């Protein structure tokens, strides 16, 4: 079975967002504050709040 993992860092309006999706979990950290995101849609909604 293939396992896909995504990990990255981006800056949105001066705020640092670290994203990790894979291993049956998904998290996003915004300026050190962790958020659980269950899927890509929730990650998208979190990023929209920052814009």
């Amino acid at each position: 079975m293939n396992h896909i993992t995504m990990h990255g860092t981006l800056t949105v309006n001066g705020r640092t967002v670290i994203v990790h999706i894979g291993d049956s979990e998904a998290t996003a950290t915004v300026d050190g504050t962790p958020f659980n995101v269950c899927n890509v849609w929730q990650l998208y909604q979190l990023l929209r709040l920052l814009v």
Side-chain angles (χ1 to χ4, degrees):
M1 179 177 213
N2 293 333
H3 296 279
I4 298 172
T5 301
M6 179 182 81
H7 184 83
T9 304
L10 60 142
T11 302
V12 179
N13 285 341
R15 303 182 81 176
T16 302
V17 181
I18 301 171
V19 178
H20 175 80
I21 297 175
D23 302 326
S24 300
E25 66 178 34
T27 58
T29 304
V30 179
D31 291 337
T33 304
F35 293 90
N36 288 328
V37 289
C38 296
N39 53 43
V40 176
W41 176 250
Q42 287 184 343
L43 175 61
Y44 169 74
Q45 293 297 321
L46 177 63
L47 294 174
R48 280 190 58 197
L49 289 174
L50 298 175
V51 174

